[in-house]
Amino acid sequence: MKLFIATGRHRIAINNLGDLQFDGYITLNGGYCFDKSDPIYKHPISQDTIATLVEEKKKNDTFPCIFVREKDMFINYKNEQVEEILELLNFPEPLSGTLDEALEEDVFQLISFFGENDEKKMMKLILGCESTRWNPLFTDVVPCGSSKSVGIDKVLEHYGIAKEECLAFGDGGNDIAMLKHIPHSIVMGNAEEDVKAAAAYVTTSVDEDGIYKALKHFGIL
């Protein structure tokens, strides 16, 4: 049995799992997957898209953005909105950096602090990417074709495991593609209704032993 974490977070921002051990991680909404030692799959944003975004932001830098790279992340500037989200999510403080630094290495994700009203306009600049919003204050921008479901497929292919042999747990909007993709998908009872509708099975909340009850339901325990 293999146990993987599938998350929108960067590897350095996975700070809420204590001393639990996993076989690997599907991070950045499927854009960067690795086992205990080596990368399994990488899907960065195109360098041309990053270059276009940098040029536009140099002309009119209207929103903070965290540029997420393979080993680190940096932000062009912070405001009260950023501070609020960092505290809310218990997110590590990103490095401060210049826009030109985004051109030095592959960027896998943009944590973009623009609201829902500006999203359509901004996404026209970030070609070949899609928004995976799960908070009104910011959105995770990832390359098109990058999702937790794709990351899961790459990991399963690496290990020679069929998706019919998997269980997938989720509770957020960025889990919907994964929940629809995996036949034995489980959504936590505290999820929103559109997320519940994407899963094969709805369990109780985390605080009500939802994971344990789902594992019992599927005969794992």
Side-chain angles (χ1 to χ4, degrees):
M1 181 182 295
K2 298 289 184 182
L3 185 61
F4 271 68
I5 290 292
T7 177
R9 289 191 175 216
H10 189 278
R11 61 196 302 173
I12 63 175
I14 302 173
N15 55 6
N16 57 352
L17 299 176
D19 57 359
L20 295 175
Q21 298 296 309
F22 297 89
D23 294 293
Y25 298 84
I26 298 161
T27 65
L28 304 179
N29 289 311
Y32 189 83
C33 309
F34 58 97
D35 61 16
K36 291 180 179 178
S37 56
D38 299 308
I40 294 173
Y41 173 67
K42 300 180 182 182
H43 187 197
I45 297 171
S46 102
Q47 293 180 336
D48 287 344
T49 294
I50 295 297
T52 298
L53 177 63
V54 166
E55 286 306 308
E56 289 295 327
K57 288 184 72 61
K58 282 182 177 180
K59 296 174 189 175
N60 188 21
D61 202 356
T62 58
F63 63 93
C65 184
I66 299 177
F67 294 84
V68 182
R69 304 187 292 192
E70 183 171 354
K71 295 182 180 178
D72 62 14
M73 61 182 77
F74 72 90
I75 191 167
N76 55 324
Y77 68 90
K78 288 187 292 185
N79 59 16
E80 291 182 5
Q81 191 170 303
V82 173
E83 296 288 0
E84 178 183 342
I85 291 299
L86 293 180
E87 183 176 355
L88 175 68
L89 301 180
N90 188 27
F91 202 81
E93 191 81 19
L95 302 170
S96 295
T98 66
L99 291 170
D100 284 332
E101 289 180 57
L103 305 174
E104 297 174 358
E105 298 178 25
D106 282 338
V107 174
F108 290 84
Q109 180 173 301
L110 302 166
I111 303 175
S112 304
F113 289 85
F114 52 76
E116 294 171 277
N117 292 337
D118 293 325
E119 183 170 323
K120 187 175 293 187
K121 177 181 69 176
M122 294 311 307
M123 291 308 297
K124 289 180 180 178
L125 285 178
I126 312 174
L127 298 177
C129 293
E130 57 190 349
S131 168
T132 58
R133 181 179 295 278
W134 54 279
N135 185 286
L137 297 181
F138 74 97
T139 184
D140 294 332
V141 176
V142 298
C144 290
S146 186
S147 70
K148 290 181 182 180
S149 58
V150 171
I152 288 171
D153 281 347
K154 296 297 182 180
V155 168
L156 295 180
E157 180 182 347
H158 179 78
Y159 285 104
I161 301 171
K163 68 179 181 181
E164 289 76 17
E165 299 177 78
C166 296
L167 296 180
F169 289 84
D171 65 358
N174 63 351
D175 293 322
I176 289 176
M178 172 187 75
L179 295 169
K180 289 181 175 179
H181 184 65
I182 299 300
H184 302 306
S185 59
I186 302 150
V187 68
M188 309 307 295
N190 52 287
E192 298 293 337
E193 291 304 314
D194 60 331
V195 184
K196 290 180 179 178
Y201 179 74
V202 179
T203 186
T204 54
S205 70
V206 173
D207 294 334
E208 298 172 297
D209 297 324
I211 293 177
Y212 172 78
K213 289 175 182 176
L215 293 175
K216 290 281 286 185
H217 173 82
F218 283 100
I220 305 301
L221 296 177

